[in-house]
């Protein structure tokens, strides 16, 4: 058995655990009808199989609002390019890519940040 066969089995094992789908949006430049340059959010990847793992939960009181902020780790195929600042929507919940992903042969891990109010 060679290394390619071993890595193919590892990739299949990791992808077997993917139980959610994600949409990845990126802030891209476009030309407006009047010829001016503008920026807008566009979906760069849709229906991406993935898995979420929560890591850190932070609660803080800010004024009258209870601010909830927690970190999430997204596991997905290394075939998709994810950049820091991309918006990732998983099951209707919006996250922001906090850093560049950690890319492995079998998968990649992207640290996400979700902010909200309780």
């Amino acid at each position: 058995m060679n290394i390619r066969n071993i890595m193919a089995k590892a990739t299949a094992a990791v992808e077997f655990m993917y139980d959610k789908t994600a949409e990845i949006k990126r802030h891209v430049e476009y030309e407006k009808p009047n010829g001016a340059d503008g920026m807008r959010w566009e979906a760069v990847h849709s229906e991406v199989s993935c898995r979420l793992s929560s890591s850190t939960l932070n609660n803080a009181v800010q004024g009258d609002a209870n601010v909830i902020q927690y970190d999430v780790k997204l596991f997905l195929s290394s075939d998709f390019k994810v950049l820091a600042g991309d918006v990732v929507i998983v099951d209707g919940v919006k996250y922001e890519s906090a850093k560049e992903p950690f890319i492995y042969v079998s998968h990649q891990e992207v640290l996400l940040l979700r902010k909200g109010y309780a």
Side-chain angles (χ1 to χ4, degrees), residues 57-62 64-69 114-118:
L57 173 63
N58 298 319
N59 270 351
V61 176
Q62 183 178 18
D64 292 336
N66 186 17
V67 178
I68 298 173
Q69 178 178 334
R114 178 171 184 232
K115 297 179 182 178
Y117 297 97

Side-chain angles (χ1 to χ4, degrees), residues 12-41:
V14 170
E15 290 178 351
F16 178 75
M17 294 189 299
Y18 295 166
D19 58 349
K20 300 184 181 299
T21 57
E23 178 180 32
I24 301 169
K25 293 184 175 186
R26 187 166 296 141
H27 214 209
V28 296
E29 199 173 301
Y30 77 104
E31 187 174 321
K32 295 179 180 180
N34 65 2
D37 292 335
M39 298 294 284
R40 67 179 171 200
W41 290 101

Side-chain angles (χ1 to χ4, degrees), residues 3 14 23 33-34 42 47 53 63 106-107 109 116:
I3 190 67
V14 170
E23 178 180 32
N34 65 2
E42 285 186 8
E47 298 295 317
S53 172
S106 59
H107 68 287
E109 298 175 12

Side-chain angles (χ1 to χ4, degrees), residues 44-104:
V44 292
H45 303 292
S46 297
E47 298 295 317
V48 177
S49 295
C50 63
R51 182 166 182 90
L52 286 179
S53 172
S54 60
S55 58
T56 308
L57 173 63
N58 298 319
N59 270 351
V61 176
Q62 183 178 18
D64 292 336
N66 186 17
V67 178
I68 298 173
Q69 178 178 334
Y70 62 91
D71 300 330
V72 174
K73 193 179 291 186
L74 177 74
F75 298 87
L76 69 156
S77 170
S78 55
D79 295 337
F80 300 99
K81 184 169 185 169
V82 181
L83 303 176
D86 282 355
V87 169
V88 180
I89 302 169
V90 181
D91 291 343
V93 180
K94 186 174 169 181
Y95 301 92
E96 182 179 333
S97 174
K99 299 179 180 181
E100 293 291 322
F102 299 100
I103 300 175
Y104 303 99

